[in-house]
Amino acid sequence: MSTDLAARAKAADAADPLAHLRARFSLPPDTVYLDGNSLGALPAAVPDRIADVVRRQWGTDLIRSWTDNGWWAAPERIGDRIAPLIGAAPGQVVVGDSTSVNVFRALVSAVRLHQRPQDNDRSEIVVDATTFPTDGYVAESAAKMTGRTLVPAHPRALTDALSHRTAAVLLNHVDFRTGELWDMAALTELIHGVGAYAIWDLSHSAGALPVDLDAGGVDLAVGCTYKYLNGGPGAPAYSYARAELLPRLEQPLPGWCSHRDPFGMEAGYRPADGVTRLRTGTPEMISLLTLDAALDVWDGVDMASVRAKSLALTTFFVECVRALVPADRIRVLTPDAPRRGSQVALACTDAEAVMTALIEARVIGDYRPPDVLRFGFAAPYVGFADALRAAEVIAEVLA
Ligand SMILES: *Cc1c(COP(=O)(O)O)cnc(C)c1O
């Protein structure tokens, strides 16, 4: 059985049109890295770029770097590099702060968009009941601050939660635990059907599959850059706002970097035009330029091929697990392709100890309570032989 799978893995790797991307990353030898959905691998060009940013730009050019090395405009410039990966036309994405902060910014901004007298009964914020916890915590606080009621809803039962009372809805594009992918365009249409604003968290989809924010009519979106975008630990997140909303957008963290004339040092606040109004304070320049270097790996890469490979990899992995691990030892939580993102979640008893054993055997995924093993398949650097190796080690550990 395993020899047949090995032959198929070998053939699939040999025919992989994205195989050359693996060389754009530095990964330790003899390691199957399946945790790119938590912390993406290191792009090989990053260390030299960081050294240049620190030694030359900071060390030698000093304060001049804000203009001469383009530091000041980097949040918008790098936002425009992320834009094509999430189906956004230029001028709608800006990078800075954490995803949690950007979630807060998006929720309060969305509630404030309902400013007409007839919008007064928009008293509820709906949040994905399966969300990555930080989004839920922040939504609760945003609801409290804006005097709204928080309504948790499963994406599958969204219709039941929506009404003329809904101000905004915050959903995760891919479920961080099970890997289930939601239909962004269809759910956004439902949300718009009751006159509410749709906010999507792309943390587990950007860089893993094609995202079509503009085509889907999404109002606001946020996402993290240290997972499938490989921006490095703590890399700044991004915010997207649909161009036509920008002139009316009133965000809750109006720092000086979002001011129309930041160096005028005026006492009064006037928002900048465009997506710049979603900035707040001084950008985290070293992480931002690390992300900039990391984004080079996407140059010339077609997201449709990334998606095709990702689905082939996760499908093959599930097949290997089913072939090698007794069915009563493990349960596949992730829906079949194409209703999944780029990860496979497996449930088993003693999952935490199982993951510890896998990591000792150099198959790196992660554990999420109560019984979930997560395996992320980042198509740019994971291959079919890796998928088979992971399944073999899972079978050995569970034997
Ligand atoms: C990873 C992730 C985050 C991370 O938030 P941080 O503020 O960067 O810690 C937020 N939301 C979702 C859905 C995520 O998957």
Side-chain angles (χ1 to χ4, degrees), residues 98-100 132 134-135 172 176 201 203-204 224 226-227:
S98 66
T99 308
S100 304
F132 185 91
T134 202
D135 297 46
N172 291 183
F176 81 101
D201 188 325
S203 292
H204 283 272
C224 138
Y226 51 76
K227 292 171 183 164

Side-chain angles (χ1 to χ4, degrees), residues 282-300:
T282 305
E284 37 293 75
M285 203 46 65
I286 294 171
S287 338
L288 196 54
L289 296 177
T290 299
L291 168 63
D292 190 25
L295 290 171
D296 289 355
V297 304
W298 299 102
D299 288 346

Side-chain angles (χ1 to χ4, degrees), residues 10-354:
K10 197 170 170 196
D13 280 329
D16 173 12
L18 299 180
H20 64 285
L21 295 180
R22 176 69 179 70
R24 297 187 190 173
F25 292 87
S26 295
L27 278 158
D30 307 323
T31 298
V32 176
Y33 189 64
L34 303 180
D35 212 3
N37 50 332
S38 256
L39 177 65
L42 169 67
V46 160
D48 286 347
R49 186 75 68 84
I50 295 180
D52 176 65
V53 168
V54 173
R55 291 220 168 82
R56 179 180 63 85
Q57 299 188 29
W58 176 14
T60 304
D61 298 348
L62 288 159
I63 195 80
R64 284 202 321 270
S65 283
W66 285 104
T67 46
D68 298 3
N69 290 315
W71 285 3
W72 184 261
E76 292 86 355
R77 179 180 64 77
I78 298 167
D80 276 342
R81 296 195 69 194
I82 293 172
L85 300 172
I86 55 176
Q92 303 175 104
V93 181
V94 69
V95 184
D97 305 311
S98 66
T99 308
S100 304
V101 169
N102 282 282
V103 164
F104 174 76
R105 189 180 270 129
L107 279 164
V108 177
S109 302
V111 169
R112 288 179 176 175
L113 280 169
H114 292 288
Q115 278 164 340
R116 302 163 307 173
Q118 66 266 38
D119 291 332
N120 281 346
D121 62 346
R122 297 271 165 190
S123 59
E124 295 176 353
I125 293 175
V126 174
V127 67
D128 189 339
T130 61
T131 186
F132 185 91
T134 202
D135 297 46
Y137 306 154
V138 170
E140 191 175 353
S141 174
K144 205 167 171 181
M145 283 183 54
T146 56
R148 263 65 182 178
T149 305
L150 191 68
V151 179
H154 194 285
R156 204 175 284 120
L158 191 63
T159 318
D160 301 341
L162 296 177
S163 73
H164 61 87
R165 290 186 302 278
T166 315
V169 181
L170 169 64
L171 295 171
N172 291 183
H173 195 195
V174 173
D175 185 304
F176 81 101
R177 199 178 273 114
T178 64
E180 180 152 12
L181 170 68
W182 301 106
D183 186 337
M184 174 180 280
L187 293 175
T188 298
E189 203 178 315
L190 281 183
I191 294 164
H192 287 168
V194 297
Y197 291 101
I199 308 167
W200 285 88
D201 188 325
L202 311 175
S203 292
H204 283 272
S205 56
L209 49 102
V211 179
D212 275 314
L213 293 178
D214 287 350
V218 170
D219 300 300
L220 300 165
V222 302
C224 138
T225 63
Y226 51 76
K227 292 171 183 164
Y228 292 102
L229 293 175
N230 314 302
Y238 56 87
S239 272
Y240 160 93
R242 191 151 54 84
E244 64 189 271
L245 296 178
L246 278 168
R248 300 198 283 130
L249 219 56
E250 207 187 298
Q251 68 124 326
L253 298 166
W256 74 291
C257 294
S258 70
H259 195 280
R260 174 173 294 274
D261 182 16
F263 294 96
M265 304 289 161
E266 296 172 12
Y269 182 72
R270 293 185 296 140
D273 282 337
V275 79
T276 297
R277 72 173 54 191
L278 292 179
R279 287 175 62 166
T280 294
T282 305
E284 37 293 75
M285 203 46 65
I286 294 171
S287 338
L288 196 54
L289 296 177
T290 299
L291 168 63
D292 190 25
L295 290 171
D296 289 355
V297 304
W298 299 102
D299 288 346
V301 176
D302 164 29
M303 260 319 184
S305 347
V306 170
R307 177 62 169 162
K309 179 177 174 187
S310 153
L311 287 180
L313 275 171
T314 51
T315 301
F316 181 65
F317 175 67
V318 169
E319 189 187 337
C320 293
V321 167
R322 290 207 163 113
L324 303 173
V325 182
D328 60 342
R329 298 289 283 127
I330 211 148
R331 202 158 45 88
V332 179
L333 300 178
T334 307
D336 287 340
R339 285 184 39 246
R340 69 162 76 109
S342 202
Q343 79 177 47
V344 173
L346 304 174
C348 67
T349 48
D350 296 328
E352 190 168 18
V354 170

